[in-house]
Amino acid sequence: MADGPKDGQLFPRDLLTNQAMVAVNGSVTQAGFSQVHVIVNRDGLLWWSQAEPLNYVGGSAPFSFQAPIEAGLFDYSMELLLEGGGGMQVIDVVEHIACGDAYLINGQSNAVAADYHGEGLGNRFQSPWIRSYGTASLQPAEVIADQQWHLADALLGNDSGTIGAWGLRTAWLLVERYKVPIAMLNGSVGGTPLYQHHRNMADPEDLNTIYGRLLYRTQKAGLEQNVRAMLWHQGEASGNVEPHVYSTSYGELIDEWHLDYPAMEHTFVFQIRRGCGVSDMGIREAQRRWQDVFPNLTTVPTAGIDGHDNCHFYYRGYRLMGEWMAAAMAILYDEQLPKNAAPPNIKEARFTTAAKDEIELVFRNQEQVLVLDSFIINRLRLRNGGSEVITSASTTRGRILLQLSAPSNADAVAYVGNPGSGPWIKNTVGVGAYTFEVPLLP
């Protein structure tokens, strides 16, 4: 009889009004009723109510309501009632409605971020204010069958309500800091190269595609017009792709997202790390530079995070990834990271002596204090040099000075990072520097 919200549904807020309008439409086909009522309660107290007279035409009386709800940590319920014959009849009750922000996650297995090591820790930050819709299953029939809202889950992979360990940690921090419920849908699939994530332009909702399954779920959840950002972790399966080809393809994917998610404000990309089949710097250096190439894109490092098994992360690693992602997403809430807390980002590198036996690494924030772990020289490389090696590294604000064992004809220097644990280059709050490979200026 009525088309309206579902139990547990999160409605995306209008950022100007901080509200959402909940539509309730239908028709009454049973005679004898004079009015239809909608009552909205917030945290058990009356928030809004409205009644409409019923006018029957051909045995049917249509009705339509637009009920406002406000964003915040508020638990709404909605009742639909019919009035007639001197009494009221409850027709439907929907509970645990919320209003907040919507985000999507996509990529490969480190975006799935399931409990790969059986630790059972991922759901420590489950919350009634963090929800997901449908299933991340790869099977179209299962995607169609699951039309429910779920408490977001971080243990399983590609299942109902799953958003991954770092996704859940990110969402929990956003809820805690900004007091806004979060809807997060994860469409990631392990082991997938970038080309498999593109849109089927002839059939965007193609459930045989990664793109189509996530779009279908987002549409069924009623979120597609209000997705605020895409969170991305992918690249390990694209290691054999030329960096410029990879970057062009990613730019095309961003354009495709904007076709279907017109309100998308920003893209947040984890820079992949060494391991999981990745050894060279090509894709990683491209991802570092993307924030200089694509508007409204922020790259988040993963170098500096321990708890890594050479491919995936243990829970402590995913948890820290979520913390760094939430910090980056503060810009969506009109906040900026303190400059010294931002990931250290290389600007340029140059020889500082005529003999070319000393190199200075200059970082973009030249006032930032840099912290070098012991043995960091083992993670620094010269490209196209000879037998010379880096013998020491020291730091001043915004700079690292490298001493070489002999003059060098190298044309580039790289901070390659590593699988597993450090050593790392970090800032004073422990956030890792982006890995990099930059040309050596004379």
Side-chain angles (χ1 to χ4, degrees):
M1 183 189 72
D3 179 19
K6 294 183 176 182
D7 284 334
Q9 184 164 355
L10 186 145
F11 287 84
R13 62 172 170 158
D14 182 308
L15 295 176
L16 295 178
T17 65
N18 199 43
Q19 290 187 335
M21 302 302 292
V22 181
V24 182
N25 305 299
S27 60
V28 179
T29 57
Q30 182 178 347
F33 296 102
S34 59
Q35 289 196 97
V36 58
H37 297 253
V38 170
I39 297 174
V40 179
N41 294 310
R42 186 169 91 173
D43 296 333
L45 301 176
L46 178 64
W47 166 256
W48 180 91
S49 66
Q50 195 171 83
E52 283 187 5
L54 292 171
N55 299 308
Y56 290 85
V57 177
S60 177
F63 61 85
S64 179
F65 294 90
Q66 291 285 331
I69 59 174
E70 186 177 45
L73 304 185
F74 307 122
D75 185 19
Y76 294 93
S77 63
M78 183 174 291
E79 298 177 62
L80 180 67
L81 305 95
L82 294 178
E83 179 181 353
M88 302 281 283
Q89 181 177 334
V90 178
I91 300 301
D92 198 9
V93 177
V94 181
E95 297 182 313
H96 307 307
I97 301 168
C99 178
D101 291 338
Y103 297 104
L104 302 180
I105 297 175
N106 217 334
Q108 56 181 110
S109 58
N110 276 319
V112 175
D115 185 13
Y116 296 120
H117 301 94
E119 298 170 281
L121 301 174
N123 282 339
R124 294 171 69 185
F125 293 98
Q126 268 192 323
S127 164
W129 306 116
I130 307 171
R131 305 174 189 183
S132 193
Y133 182 85
T135 178
S137 170
L138 280 58
Q139 303 302 317
E142 294 180 2
V143 174
I144 293 171
D146 190 339
Q147 302 291 327
Q148 303 298 320
W149 283 86
H150 303 279
L151 191 69
D153 176 87
L155 291 176
L156 302 175
N158 300 111
D159 210 326
S160 293
T162 54
I163 67 170
W166 64 256
L168 186 61
R169 180 61 172 159
T170 299
W172 188 87
L173 288 168
L174 296 179
V175 169
E176 288 296 301
R177 291 174 186 171
Y178 306 114
K179 307 304 179 186
V180 175
I182 299 294
M184 192 171 278
L185 277 64
N186 190 333
S188 308
V189 179
T192 50
L194 178 57
Y195 74 85
Q196 291 186 7
H197 289 266
H198 277 284
R199 187 180 195 256
N200 179 345
M201 302 303 276
D203 182 11
E205 297 87 8
D206 180 357
L207 295 181
N208 293 302
T209 66
I210 296 169
Y211 191 104
R213 290 191 295 273
L214 183 57
L215 176 59
Y216 174 87
R217 292 168 58 205
T218 308
Q219 290 174 336
K220 291 296 183 180
L223 302 173
E224 78 280 4
Q225 297 298 311
N226 298 87
V227 169
R228 298 197 65 186
M230 179 69 74
L231 318 183
W232 178 260
H233 191 303
Q234 191 277 336
E236 297 95 335
S238 299
N240 61 346
V241 178
E242 289 293 328
H244 72 279
V245 174
Y246 183 78
S247 294
T248 298
S249 180
Y250 191 71
E252 292 169 350
L253 181 57
I254 291 175
D255 291 341
E256 292 165 9
W257 287 333
H258 281 289
L259 293 174
D260 295 303
Y261 310 117
M264 195 172 78
E265 303 167 50
H266 213 89
T267 307
F268 296 90
V269 176
F270 276 116
Q271 183 191 37
I272 62 171
R273 66 191 286 168
R274 197 173 171 192
C276 212
V278 177
S279 58
D280 64 22
M281 289 300 303
I283 296 296
R284 290 187 281 162
E285 176 62 9
Q287 291 176 331
R288 182 184 74 85
R289 293 178 180 270
W290 278 355
Q291 51 199 338
D292 301 324
V293 175
F294 301 119
N296 303 314
L297 184 147
T298 298
T299 302
V300 180
T302 56
I305 297 176
D306 296 331
H308 186 249
D309 69 0
N310 298 336
C311 187
H312 301 118
F313 292 83
Y314 291 89
Y315 175 71
R316 67 183 184 275
Y318 284 136
R319 173 173 171 162
L320 192 54
M321 287 170 63
E323 292 170 8
W324 291 4
M325 177 61 76
M329 292 174 69
I331 60 174
L332 298 177
Y333 297 87
D334 299 321
E335 291 188 10
Q336 294 287 340
L337 278 176
K339 287 188 176 181
N340 206 49
N345 192 2
I346 190 75
K347 178 184 178 184
E348 60 190 16
R350 61 168 62 91
F351 289 106
T352 58
T353 62
K356 292 188 174 181
D357 59 359
E358 184 179 85
I359 294 171
E360 183 181 53
L361 307 179
V362 181
F363 285 75
R364 297 190 183 192
N365 179 359
Q366 295 185 28
E367 296 301 316
Q368 189 172 39
V369 176
L370 302 171
V371 178
L372 306 182
D373 285 348
S374 299
F375 308 109
I376 192 62
I377 60 173
N378 295 330
R379 300 296 176 255
L380 297 164
R381 301 281 188 271
L382 299 175
R383 188 181 70 186
N384 295 331
S387 60
E388 74 280 4
V389 295
I390 300 168
T391 58
S392 68
S394 58
T395 183
T396 59
R397 286 185 181 267
R399 285 171 167 77
I400 297 173
L401 193 65
L402 307 178
Q403 301 292 334
L404 309 184
S405 63
S408 176
N409 289 316
D411 60 7
V413 61
Y415 165 48
V416 298
N418 53 277
S421 301
W424 307 113
I425 301 171
K426 297 177 284 190
N427 63 25
T428 54
V429 297
V431 176
Y434 303 105
T435 54
F436 59 80
E437 183 175 69
V438 294
L440 272 166
L441 303 177

